[in-house]
């Protein structure tokens, strides 16, 4: 059942999120997206004629990104080469695609360090993503299946669908995460699919594709949690990338597991690494290197890391624990006379589950207030007034510290002095108003200046209210009450907006479910004819743009009417379901299958020439023939006839391709059924008309 579900997702659900659901989510504007300098970097790289110098000038405006970029470049040069110290050198080492994706990943990390989903552990999520990225880089440096800098970016973003769902549906996704603890037999993707009519695997693949990552990356990312379901050929690039992502993900689980649990996970780690031909010694060395990089990167990105002993030591402990358990199990069996018994081994639940986040809820009248003043006595006076009425108060001694604390503490109200060293209160206000967090803070400025022009300047730069020095506590309390009324009105407006957003999100989920029903055949679970027509048109457009081959198959169940006439329609339905299961299991990951009529199916084969399509069709034919249906204790043999066609210079539209496959199906029926046919030469010449 698991492989069937995965095949359904692989052939239909990923496609569906690409062409319908994802565009609706993207239009909502709520999906995680790059901000600020990262957005400028991405846009500049997309422009024709932009130079390395132009890009370097944009990057240098963000010192934090400069440090991360140079750190990433030095991680690729090896220990025996001169360290990279400039942005230009880093750009040359990394290349534009990696720089673009690094800017994207680091921007998301900075902008989405926390959020409104109380069941989603944002800190654990990002530190896990960092391990994932570093592990992918280390694995790729050994497999050479892709550029290590690009797979670092892929690892950083490989679980972005989880963050997207937590951002889009914070309350509902929190409930889904809680359900993972209640329904341990149901995977997270199944619970997500039930709640939102999409899941994080689909969303990750769609977002990576939308951000410009090549298909060789975003498609294996969909299968990273279950690479065995992909159908990729052993040793192919897709196979290695999907299994590398799976290994990197498990390395992250080991890193973040409880200290006592890590040795128990080592045997599973070696098993997963073995699928990439890594022996235990190689895995231990790789993981030790990732630990060192993780701790260095964690300090740079301000993410929590852990002290982890050498992996060879963890492996030895794991072997000792396994030996002890085996001895105890053997001793228990020896105490049971007579027959031998196999004792079931219960695995501890994997680490990494979401921990509910409980935030303290203050009194309805209390506010979070930040005082910014270089005069300690003035801060003490204002603090006393604020705490008397129950407000939560923090202090900063200058504007720069105040800026950092405001972005972290997110106060509802700030009281700032106008004249301070390094950054004045007016400069602080102006800088905060340029950030999303700062736009909603009520700003009260203290001044000893009694100049109307200066006060007008303050209001024009974003100040909400002012107070003259020296401070009168009664006047300050009155000003606070006035500010509190404005803040309360803003909170009510925010709640109304959130309610509207939630309603829109629920409506979007309902619409997606209705759309899914409208495009799905209820008997087989395949997409229906309407979907097949839309999808064929899309693949035709992609083929025209990329000049890649496109093939199709029309499949018909042989003598289907006799099943209904001889055994009844319930057996006829069972035949269709059995045939559908066989077709699904024989197709490749990129193939799209739909039920287009009573006993007819259409398969679309992107990036596939005629020879490969015929080979795939033969697998389908053999799979159907080899899986008889049992009716009243007797096997009922089934077969299909298949017509195959590939796009050539004569065809002007997708209908012509389907019609040519139909002609081939007619030939297969006339030749005696249970066979595949094509009406084209195996060497048809140019597949796509020249532009």
């Amino acid at each position: 059942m698991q492989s069937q579900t995965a095949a359904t997702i692989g052939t239909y659900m990923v496609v569906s999120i690409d062409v319908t659901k994802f565009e609706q989510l993207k239009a909502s504007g709520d999906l995680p997206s790059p901000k600020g300098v990262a957005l400028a970097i991405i846009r500049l790289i997309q422009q024709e004629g932009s130079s390395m110098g132009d890009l370097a000038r944009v990057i240098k405006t963000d010192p934090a990104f400069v440090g991360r970029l140079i750190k990433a470049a030095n991680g690729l040069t090896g220990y025996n080469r001169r360290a990279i110290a400039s942005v230009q050198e880093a750009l040359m080492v990394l290349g534009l695609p990696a720089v673009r994706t690094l800017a994207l990943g680091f921007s998301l990390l900075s902008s989405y360090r926390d959020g409104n989903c109380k069941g989603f552990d944002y800190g654990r999520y990002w530190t896990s993503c960092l391990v994932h990225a570093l592990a992918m880089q280390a694995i790729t440096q050994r497999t050479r299946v892709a550029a290590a800098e690009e797979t670092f970016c892929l690892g950083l973003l490989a679980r972005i669908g989880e963050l997207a769902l937590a951002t889009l549906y914070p309350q509902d996704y929190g409930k889904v995460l809680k359900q993972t603890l209640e329904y341990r037999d149901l995977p997270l993707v199944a619970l997500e699919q039930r709640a939102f009519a999409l899941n994080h695997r689909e969303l990750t693949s769609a977002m990576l594709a939308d951000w410009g990552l090549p298909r060789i990356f975003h498609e294996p990312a969909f299968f990273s949690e279950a690479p065995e379901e992909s159908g990729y050929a052993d040793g192919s690039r897709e196979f290695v990338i999907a299994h590398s992502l799976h290994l990197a993900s498990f390395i992250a689980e080991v890193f973040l597991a409880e200290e006592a649990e890590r040795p128990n996970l080592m045997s599973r780690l070696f098993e997963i690494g073995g699928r990439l031909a890594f022996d235990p010694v190689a895995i231990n060395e790789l993981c030790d290197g990732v630990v060192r990089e993780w701790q260095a990167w964690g300090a740079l990105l301000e993410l929590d890391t852990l002290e982890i002993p050498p992996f060879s030591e963890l492996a030895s402990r794991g072997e000792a624990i396994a030996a002890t358990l085996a001895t105890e199990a053997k001793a228990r069996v020896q105490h049971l006379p007579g027959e031998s018994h196999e004792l079931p081994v219960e695995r501890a639940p994997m680490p990494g589950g979401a921990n509910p986040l409980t935030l303290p809820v203050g009194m309805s009248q209390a506010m979070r207030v930040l005082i910014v003043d270089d005069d300690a006595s003035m801060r003490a006076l204002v603090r006393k007034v604020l705490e008397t009425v129950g407000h939560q108060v923090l202090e900063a001694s200058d504007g720069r510290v105040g800026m950092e604390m405001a972005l972290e503490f997110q106060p509802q109200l700030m009281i700032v002095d106008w004249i301070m060293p390094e950054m004045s209160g007016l400069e602080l206000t102006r800088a905060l108003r340029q950030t999303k967090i700062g736009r909603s803070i009520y700003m009260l400025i203290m001044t000893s200046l009694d100049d109307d022009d200066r006060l007008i300047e303050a209001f024009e730069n974003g100040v909400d209210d002012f107070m003259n020095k020296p401070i009168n506590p009664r006047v300050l309390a009155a000003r606070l009450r006035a500010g509190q009324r404005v803040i309360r009105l803003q909170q009510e407006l925010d709640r109304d907006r959130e309610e509207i957003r939630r309603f829109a999100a629920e409506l979007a989920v309902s619409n997606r479910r209705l759309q899914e029903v409208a495009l799905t055949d209820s008997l087989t679970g395949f997409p229906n004819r309407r979907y097949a027509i839309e999808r064929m048109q899309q693949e035709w457009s992609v083929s025209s743009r990329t000049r890649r081959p496109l093939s199709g198959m029309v499949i018909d169940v042989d003598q289907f009417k006799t099943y209904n006439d001889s055994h009844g329609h319930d057996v006829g339905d069972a035949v269709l379901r059995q045939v559908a299961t066989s077709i699904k299991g024989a197709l490749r990951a990129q193939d799209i299958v739909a039920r287009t009529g009573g006993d007819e199916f259409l398969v679309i084969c992107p990036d596939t020439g005629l020879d490969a399509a015929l080979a795939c069709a033969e697998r389908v034919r053999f799979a159907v023939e080899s899986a008889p249906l049992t009716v009243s204790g007797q096997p009922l043999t089934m077969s299909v006839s298949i017509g195959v066609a590939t796009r050539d210079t004569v065809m002007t539209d997708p209908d012509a391709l389907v019609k040519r496959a139909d002609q081939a199906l007619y030939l297969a029926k006339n030749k005696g059924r249970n066979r595949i046919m094509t009406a084209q030469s195996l060497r048809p010449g140019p597949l796509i008309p020249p532009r």
Side-chain angles (χ1 to χ4, degrees):
M1 180 61 74
Q2 287 182 341
S3 61
Q4 295 173 17
T5 303
T8 302
I9 292 175
T11 56
Y12 170 46
M13 298 305 297
V14 166
V15 170
S16 178
I17 186 70
D18 281 344
V19 297
T20 56
K21 301 175 186 174
F22 181 66
E23 290 304 322
Q24 296 169 3
L25 294 175
K26 189 177 172 184
S28 73
D30 293 329
L31 277 173
S33 57
K35 306 285 193 303
V37 171
L39 188 58
I41 292 170
I42 292 168
R43 287 174 175 170
L44 184 62
I45 290 174
Q46 290 172 341
Q47 294 175 8
E48 293 185 8
S50 59
S51 67
M52 285 286 191
D54 296 332
L55 185 58
R57 280 190 290 275
V58 173
I59 290 172
K60 286 177 181 177
T61 63
D62 186 346
F65 184 63
V66 169
R68 296 165 185 177
L69 190 71
I70 292 175
K71 170 67 178 171
N74 279 313
L76 297 167
T77 58
Y79 296 103
N80 297 323
R81 295 179 56 182
R82 181 178 62 85
I84 290 170
S86 70
V87 171
Q88 285 83 353
E89 288 180 294
L91 292 176
M92 294 299 294
V93 169
L94 294 170
L96 295 186
V99 171
R100 177 195 59 195
T101 316
L102 278 171
L104 170 67
F106 291 138
S107 173
L108 295 176
L109 190 155
S110 299
S111 302
Y112 297 90
R113 280 184 180 270
D114 52 27
N116 297 323
C117 184
K118 294 185 178 180
F120 190 79
D121 192 332
Y122 291 86
R124 185 185 182 92
Y125 168 82
W126 280 117
T127 197
S128 173
C129 289
L130 177 59
V131 177
H132 206 156
L134 294 167
M136 274 300 291
Q137 177 178 283
I139 293 166
T140 308
Q141 286 172 334
R142 289 163 171 78
T143 63
R144 305 291 181 184
V145 74
E149 62 270 20
E150 294 185 15
T151 57
F152 175 93
C153 304
L154 176 62
L156 191 64
L157 299 173
R159 292 173 49 205
I160 194 65
E162 295 177 39
L163 178 67
L165 288 174
T167 305
L168 288 166
Y169 312 110
Q171 294 185 357
D172 291 334
Y173 198 57
K175 295 176 183 176
V176 168
L177 293 174
K178 188 176 180 181
Q179 288 173 351
T180 61
L181 304 176
E182 299 172 1
Y183 306 107
R184 293 184 181 274
D185 56 328
L186 284 178
L188 178 59
V189 288
L191 295 170
E192 291 169 343
Q193 194 72 37
R194 187 169 68 183
F196 310 115
L198 59 91
N199 60 65
H200 70 267
R201 290 171 61 179
E202 299 171 358
L203 203 46
T204 292
S205 182
M207 292 175 73
L208 296 182
D210 184 64
W211 288 332
L213 270 72
R215 187 171 186 170
I216 193 68
F217 289 153
H218 69 74
E219 191 177 82
F222 174 82
F223 292 107
S224 63
E225 294 177 19
E228 66 280 357
E229 297 175 359
S230 66
Y232 294 138
D234 286 3
S236 66
R237 286 188 72 200
E238 293 90 344
F239 175 93
V240 175
I241 292 172
H243 281 274
S244 297
L245 284 166
H246 188 51
L247 174 59
S249 177
F250 196 78
I251 290 172
E253 285 194 22
V254 175
F255 274 37
L256 299 181
E258 295 293 334
E259 183 177 354
E261 180 59 23
R262 289 190 195 118
N264 297 328
L265 301 176
M266 294 302 293
S267 61
R268 176 63 175 158
L269 177 64
F270 293 152
E271 178 187 340
I272 296 173
R275 296 170 189 168
L276 291 171
F278 288 163
D279 60 30
V281 173
I283 290 290
N284 290 339
E285 291 177 353
L286 184 149
C287 290
D288 288 339
V290 173
V291 170
R292 291 191 294 269
E293 287 292 312
W294 181 44
Q295 290 166 347
W297 271 102
L300 184 65
L301 298 176
E302 298 180 355
L303 293 173
D304 292 336
T305 58
L306 301 170
E307 292 294 331
I308 299 179
F311 267 67
S312 57
E313 181 181 326
L314 292 177
S316 297
R317 284 194 225 160
E319 291 174 359
I321 292 171
T324 300
L325 291 175
T327 301
E328 292 176 353
K330 185 176 180 180
R332 287 197 298 270
V333 170
Q334 289 173 347
H335 282 86
L336 298 175
E339 54 187 310
S340 92
H341 298 266
E342 291 187 5
L343 298 180
V345 178
E346 294 186 1
R347 293 188 179 271
M350 291 294 180
N355 295 321
L357 211 59
T358 54
L359 299 177
V361 179
M363 296 165 51
S364 61
Q365 299 299 316
M367 293 187 295
R368 298 185 305 278
V369 185
L370 175 61
I371 309 168
V372 187
D373 196 322
D374 58 328
D375 185 340
S377 61
M378 182 60 68
R379 294 200 306 271
L381 172 63
V382 176
R383 184 184 190 111
K384 183 176 180 181
V385 175
L386 292 168
E387 290 183 336
T388 300
V389 291
H391 296 307
Q392 183 182 358
V393 185
L394 282 183
E395 299 179 25
S397 57
D398 60 61
R400 294 195 182 280
V401 175
M403 181 74 178
E404 295 174 2
M405 292 182 67
L407 296 177
E408 181 179 356
F409 181 51
Q410 298 185 24
Q412 295 162 297
L413 183 145
M414 288 180 63
I415 301 174
V416 301
D417 189 22
W418 188 316
I419 300 175
M420 292 184 291
E422 294 192 31
M423 177 182 276
S424 70
L426 205 56
E427 291 170 334
L428 172 59
T429 302
R430 195 159 48 235
L432 280 171
R433 293 308 192 207
Q434 294 175 4
T435 68
K436 182 177 180 181
I437 293 171
R439 284 196 292 271
S440 62
I441 299 174
Y442 190 89
M443 301 295 297
L444 191 155
I445 196 163
M446 298 184 295
T447 178
S448 56
L449 303 173
D450 191 9
D451 184 333
D452 290 346
D453 290 337
R454 298 297 299 276
L455 291 177
I456 291 171
E457 179 189 2
F459 286 123
E460 287 178 345
N461 280 275
V463 170
D464 294 298
D465 199 358
F466 74 97
M467 276 200 65
N468 289 319
K469 288 184 175 182
I471 298 298
N472 183 319
R474 291 181 60 199
V475 175
L476 175 58
R479 296 280 194 186
L480 290 174
R481 287 193 294 271
Q484 201 166 18
R485 284 195 294 271
V486 174
I487 292 169
R488 194 177 302 119
L489 289 172
Q490 182 64 44
Q491 289 173 336
E492 291 175 3
L493 180 60
D494 290 342
R495 282 194 294 269
D496 290 343
R497 285 175 177 166
E498 178 62 20
E499 192 64 30
I500 293 171
R501 196 201 66 79
R502 281 190 59 202
F503 177 75
E506 291 170 1
L507 184 61
V509 170
S510 299
N511 287 339
R512 283 199 299 275
R513 287 187 178 131
L514 290 173
Q515 186 177 43
E516 198 168 290
V517 170
L519 295 174
T520 304
D521 169 50
S522 58
L523 179 64
T524 63
F526 282 173
N528 59 19
R529 182 180 184 83
R530 176 184 164 193
Y531 174 84
I533 293 171
E534 294 176 1
R535 181 63 187 189
M536 178 63 87
Q537 183 62 59
Q538 291 159 9
E539 291 299 336
W540 184 272
S541 299
V542 171
S543 173
S544 300
R545 186 170 64 252
T546 63
R547 295 178 57 77
R548 299 287 295 168
L550 174 65
S551 297
M553 307 177 204
V554 177
I555 304 173
D556 189 83
V557 181
D558 294 331
Q559 305 288 4
F560 178 68
K561 188 174 183 298
T562 62
Y563 298 122
N564 284 329
D565 294 343
S566 303
H567 303 282
H569 288 280
D570 56 339
V571 172
D573 289 347
V575 166
L576 287 174
R577 284 192 291 267
Q578 177 70 22
V579 169
T581 299
S582 299
I583 292 173
K584 187 191 307 179
L587 292 176
R588 303 164 304 173
Q590 70 263 36
D591 298 326
I592 303 104
V593 60
R595 182 187 177 198
T596 54
D599 61 339
E600 190 172 282
F601 301 87
L602 173 68
V603 178
I604 306 168
C605 304
D607 294 339
T608 305
L610 186 58
D611 290 344
L614 288 168
C616 185
E618 174 56 26
R619 286 198 304 273
V620 170
R621 187 205 64 78
F622 180 76
V624 173
E625 182 183 49
S626 304
L629 178 70
T630 301
V631 177
S632 301
Q634 298 296 320
L636 186 64
T637 303
M638 297 159 293
S639 66
V640 292
S641 298
I642 307 175
V644 182
T646 195
R647 182 178 180 180
D648 60 25
T649 56
V650 178
M651 299 174 186
T652 58
D653 54 38
D655 290 341
L657 176 58
V658 177
K659 188 174 293 185
R660 186 66 62 86
D662 262 327
Q663 293 170 356
L665 173 65
Y666 182 76
L667 291 175
K669 292 286 188 182
N670 283 346
K671 291 283 186 180
R673 299 184 176 87
N674 192 21
R675 66 191 62 228
I676 60 171
M677 294 291 294
T678 180
Q680 296 171 292
S681 166
L682 290 180
R683 300 186 180 276
L687 297 176
I688 310 298
R691 290 174 289 187

